[in-house]
Amino acid sequence: MGSLRVALVQQASGLEPDANRASLDGLAPRDADLIVFPEAYARDFGEAGSDVSAYAEPLDGPFATEVARVAEERRATVVAGMFEPGEDPERPFNTLVARGGAAAAYRKIHLYDSFGYRESDRLSAGPPEPVVFDLQGFGVGLMTCYDLRFPELARALVDAGAEVLVVPAAWVAGPHKVDHWRTLVRARAIENTVFVVAVGQPGPRYSGHSLVVDPLGEVLAEAEDGAEVVTAVLQHTDLERARRTNPSLANRRL
């Protein structure tokens, strides 16, 4: 087991799906094993409470197909957020699609019914099942934005084999929000002795501050609030060393 080069693309998505899809190729770097775009990158949420059902696409639709093409061209795995049709045609899933060296899809479990928002009015929650895939000897688990506030999901992912938690987000800006984001990302890393790769959309609407945190809580790389690409290298030996230093997973009694 060796290393994993990660790139976090902190870029805003717009209201035109064609433009967002076209931007994937120009923004994805060529020297990463795992390239992560934010939540809802295929099409932004729009005004709070907007109906996004018209922008839902299947997992073999134009956006996911382009994600796969870019991933293949880069010889990488690309993760990006989109809306996917579900059982309720008026309330699609908020989905992460992974394509390339690994293929997976994760439908957001915890919808953002908080801080005055009601994501569940327009979107359906996914099944409460952890999604983990293997990438170059690392178990990679997927979470989305508000999921970060629920340590139970992070622990379920770790129990399913995750050693890296990937968290695409559109973390709405506001009082306390950057502090909550940074604190929760570091907490999920420390309590589970895992890497956390958390990428958000930039300001002014969202909080930015995409960051990579190691299994002892050290911030390896962090963006500010503007458009930026952040890179880091995850070493499996660092994870093994952290778990020897802090064997909290082995010491669990519940």
Side-chain angles (χ1 to χ4, degrees), residues 2-247:
S3 62
L4 190 68
R5 300 170 300 168
V6 300
L8 291 67
V9 183
Q10 181 170 289
Q11 179 72 27
S13 62
L15 300 179
E16 299 298 330
D18 290 351
N20 298 328
R21 186 172 65 249
S23 73
L24 291 167
D25 189 44
L27 291 168
R30 296 184 175 276
D31 56 354
D33 304 306
L34 176 62
I35 304 166
V36 187
F37 287 82
E39 175 188 20
Y41 194 75
R43 200 267 186 183
D44 185 62
F45 291 94
E47 293 297 321
S50 295
D51 182 355
V52 296
S53 61
Y55 305 99
E57 299 182 16
L59 295 178
D60 59 356
F63 183 76
T65 298
E66 178 64 2
V67 169
R69 189 197 68 78
V70 171
E72 181 178 6
E73 199 277 334
R74 299 299 196 274
R75 298 183 179 180
T77 296
V78 177
V79 176
M82 57 178 282
F83 301 122
E84 177 197 4
E87 293 181 5
D88 183 345
E90 296 183 355
R91 295 167 61 243
F93 293 120
N94 183 342
T95 298
L96 298 178
V97 59
R99 293 291 184 267
Y106 166 68
R107 297 164 183 92
K108 187 177 183 182
I109 294 171
H110 300 98
L111 299 180
Y112 186 51
D113 291 356
S114 185
F115 285 87
Y117 288 81
R118 287 279 306 173
E119 189 176 9
S120 64
D121 287 346
R122 292 301 187 182
L123 295 167
S124 295
E129 301 167 356
V131 175
V132 179
F133 59 84
D134 182 76
L135 185 61
Q136 297 181 195
F138 288 81
V140 179
L142 298 178
M143 305 171 68
T144 305
C145 202
Y146 190 49
D147 283 333
L148 187 64
R149 293 184 181 271
F150 298 86
E152 302 88 350
L153 177 56
R155 182 53 57 88
L157 288 163
V158 171
D159 285 345
E163 299 167 315
V164 180
L165 300 179
V166 171
V167 191
W171 198 265
V172 177
H176 312 296
K177 295 300 290 294
V178 171
D179 183 52
H180 285 194
W181 166 255
R182 296 186 80 255
T183 299
L184 291 165
V185 169
R186 294 188 67 227
R188 299 296 85 86
I190 293 166
E191 70 198 3
N192 292 295
T193 52
V194 293
F195 292 100
V196 180
V197 175
V199 55
Q201 293 207 37
R205 181 175 184 182
Y206 301 107
S207 297
H209 284 270
S210 300
L211 70 164
V212 181
V213 179
D214 80 3
L216 290 177
E218 180 178 351
V219 176
L220 302 181
E222 183 174 357
E224 296 295 330
D225 61 358
E228 189 175 342
V229 176
V230 176
T231 62
V233 178
L234 314 186
Q235 300 286 353
H236 206 277
T237 52
D238 291 341
L239 181 133
E240 295 163 359
R241 186 179 303 113
R243 290 184 171 180
R244 288 194 299 270
T245 300
N246 176 26

